[in-house]
Amino acid sequence: FSAEEARNSLEHSLGELATDHIDLWLLHEVTAKDLETSDLLPFLQQMQQEGRIGAFGVGGERSHLDALWQRRGEYCKVLQFKWPVLEGKVEFPGAFLIHYRAISGAFEAMRKVFEHDSSLCRSWSSTVDADLAEPGILAAVLVQAALASNPHGMVLFSSRVPSHIRGNAQAAGEAVALERGRCFLQLVAENRSQIAGTGEKGRYT
C-alpha cells in the first residue's frame, strides 16, 4: 500500500480497461497498521485532482473497518464490506457504504428458521404481506431489506441465473420495496436471539 505500488496498479488498470478515468478506487483488505507510515494518501488525492480517479475508499473484512475508521478515517469515505441482512445496522456516519452478500449470507439461515418454526414463518409473512415460505419471495424480501438498510449506498449481488437477476431487479423496483424491507429488518431486530438459536450456530448473535 505505497504510492509507487498504487501508481503501477492504476496505470495497469487504465490500460486494461482502455480508459483514462476510474470512478471508484478501493484498497482491498488493508488494515490500519498497513497505512501507519504509508505515502499513499497524497498520491490518491493528487489522482483525484487530476481527474484520474473519482472517489477512493476501502473494501475488506468488516472486522478490520472499525480500527480503520477510527485511526485512518481519511481513507474511509467509501466502505465496501460483506453485510448479511441478519447482522444488524452498521454505523459509519457520512461514509458511502457498499454491501455485498446481503442475500446469500442470510437466505439459508432464514430458510432454516422458517422450516423449523412454521408458525413464525406465517406470522412474519402476514406482517410483511409476502409468503416467506416461498424461496423466491424470501430472496426478494431480503433484497428489499438490504436496500432499506442502506438506502443511500449500494447493494451488490451476484448471480449467473437470469431469472434470479430479473427477480432481484423486480423486487428492488416494487413500490413497497423499502417499506417491506424496513418491516423485515424490524422483525429481525425483535427476534434476533431466536434466529441465532435456529440459524447458523449462533452466527447472528
Side-chain angles (χ1 to χ4, degrees), residues 1-2 11 13 22 35 40 63 92 96 105 109 116 142 163 169 194:
F1 296 101
S2 68
E11 295 296 342
S13 294
I22 289 176
L35 299 173
L40 186 54
S63 58
F92 292 108
F96 183 86
H116 178 79
L142 288 172
S163 61
Q194 183 174 356

Side-chain angles (χ1 to χ4, degrees), residues 12-73:
H12 177 76
S13 294
L14 292 172
E16 289 292 306
L17 295 169
T19 185
D20 61 1
H21 173 86
I22 289 176
D23 292 313
L24 178 58
W25 178 272
L26 294 179
L27 310 179
H28 288 281
E29 307 303 338
V30 68
T31 66
K33 185 176 180 180
D34 291 329
L35 299 173
E36 282 181 357
T37 60
S38 175
D39 58 352
L40 186 54
L41 185 62
F43 169 75
L44 294 175
Q45 293 170 335
Q46 179 186 352
M47 293 300 98
Q48 274 189 312
Q49 291 171 1
E50 294 179 5
R52 305 193 76 191
I53 66 173
F56 63 84
V58 173
E61 290 294 327
R62 171 70 182 85
S63 58
H64 294 160
L65 295 184
D66 288 329
L68 276 164
W69 179 257
Q70 293 169 10
R71 294 162 54 189
R72 294 290 180 267

Side-chain angles (χ1 to χ4, degrees), residues 13-195:
S13 294
L14 292 172
E16 289 292 306
L17 295 169
T19 185
D20 61 1
H21 173 86
I22 289 176
D23 292 313
L24 178 58
W25 178 272
L26 294 179
L27 310 179
H28 288 281
E29 307 303 338
V30 68
T31 66
K33 185 176 180 180
D34 291 329
L35 299 173
E36 282 181 357
T37 60
S38 175
D39 58 352
L40 186 54
L41 185 62
F43 169 75
L44 294 175
Q45 293 170 335
Q46 179 186 352
M47 293 300 98
Q48 274 189 312
Q49 291 171 1
E50 294 179 5
R52 305 193 76 191
I53 66 173
F56 63 84
V58 173
E61 290 294 327
R62 171 70 182 85
S63 58
H64 294 160
L65 295 184
D66 288 329
L68 276 164
W69 179 257
Q70 293 169 10
R71 294 162 54 189
R72 294 290 180 267
E74 62 271 22
Y75 288 94
C76 298
K77 304 302 183 184
V78 178
L79 294 173
Q80 176 178 292
F81 54 93
K82 180 172 66 175
W83 183 82
V85 166
L86 305 184
E87 287 195 357
K89 192 172 182 179
V90 178
E91 296 287 354
F92 292 108
F96 183 86
L97 303 183
I98 303 174
H99 292 163
Y100 66 92
R101 294 188 186 171
I103 306 163
S104 61
F107 179 83
E108 283 302 317
M110 287 309 310
R111 187 181 60 81
K112 290 177 183 177
V113 168
F114 291 147
E115 285 182 352
H116 178 79
D117 189 341
S118 59
S119 64
L120 184 72
C121 183
R122 289 193 296 271
S123 174
W124 283 37
S125 296
S126 175
T127 301
V128 302
D129 192 25
D131 185 2
L132 299 176
E134 291 292 328
I137 294 177
L138 174 59
V141 173
L142 288 172
V143 170
Q144 294 168 343
L147 293 170
S149 74
N150 189 18
H152 304 297
M154 185 181 296
V155 175
L156 306 180
F157 71 88
S158 176
S159 179
R160 294 186 177 92
V161 181
S163 61
H164 291 176
I165 297 171
R166 285 193 295 269
N168 288 343
Q170 181 177 352
E174 288 183 6
V176 298
L178 292 181
E179 179 182 352
R180 179 176 286 155
R182 286 191 290 266
C183 183
F184 186 87
L185 290 173
Q186 183 63 36
L187 289 170
V188 169
E190 293 170 354
N191 296 271
R192 198 174 302 282
S193 60
Q194 183 174 356
I195 294 170

